[in-house]
Amino acid sequence: MTSYRSRRALGRLWVVGAALLLPTGCGAGEGTPPMPPPAATGPATATQPPPAAAPAGKALVIFGRDTVVAEVARTPEEREKGLMYRTDLPAGTGMLFVFPDEQYHTFWMSNTFVPLDIAFLDSELRVIDIQQMEAGSTDYHDSKGPAMYALEVPRGWLAAHGVRVGNRARLVVGAG
């Protein structure tokens, strides 16, 4: 992305000036969300080979016979930076944003130089929303429902591979 901002984080932007003037004692943070087990969800079929191992620090997001090799953004800092400042994103690659729980999420494309598709997925890795995002846009892209994951890929990849709302992904997470 892209810069991820939860609705809660967007609200905090309005009070940042006041936060600099007043001491805060919250200390609450999102922490690092859990990843699903290495071969999470999705029925295997006889026509689908078992998933290969994911590279260290990455995840394979598998839709039928098509796979995205995704960098994983688990921490608030990684999710906030996302795919900002990239000048290209090869086909078949992307970024998987992992959130601590299901909730509505908002993304935008400030400082992101590559047009992207974003698929929001629930905790069962079912696609609940797909949107296209323009490079450099500051338009907000809100998930249409609570999501635990968001997958960003080069624009047009999802349609070209027949990924639609309701499809379910399989996830293979690399060690490290």
Side-chain angles (χ1 to χ4, degrees), residues 71-91:
E71 297 174 49
V72 179
R74 295 180 190 157
T75 68
E77 296 78 17
E78 290 170 338
R79 289 191 298 265
E80 186 169 331
K81 182 177 179 189
L83 293 172
M84 293 171 91
Y85 308 109
R86 308 278 177 101
T87 56
D88 69 329
L89 186 63

Side-chain angles (χ1 to χ4, degrees), residues 85-158:
Y85 308 109
R86 308 278 177 101
T87 56
D88 69 329
L89 186 63
T93 66
M95 183 168 280
L96 180 67
F97 296 80
V98 180
F99 301 100
D101 55 16
E102 281 186 313
Q103 61 179 303
Y104 287 84
H105 297 285
T106 299
F107 285 70
W108 68 340
M109 295 285 287
S110 180
N111 297 313
T112 304
F113 308 129
V114 181
L116 300 171
D117 285 345
I118 186 166
F120 293 97
L121 298 95
D122 65 15
S123 62
E124 300 295 318
L125 294 169
R126 189 169 318 278
V127 177
I128 62 164
D129 186 17
I130 295 174
Q131 298 180 35
Q132 291 188 329
M133 302 187 296
E134 295 293 332
S137 171
T138 56
D139 293 342
Y140 294 125
H141 295 273
D142 300 320
S143 61
K144 291 188 175 155
M148 184 166 268
Y149 307 94
L151 175 66
E152 289 182 339
V153 294
R155 187 160 168 182
W157 191 94
L158 295 171

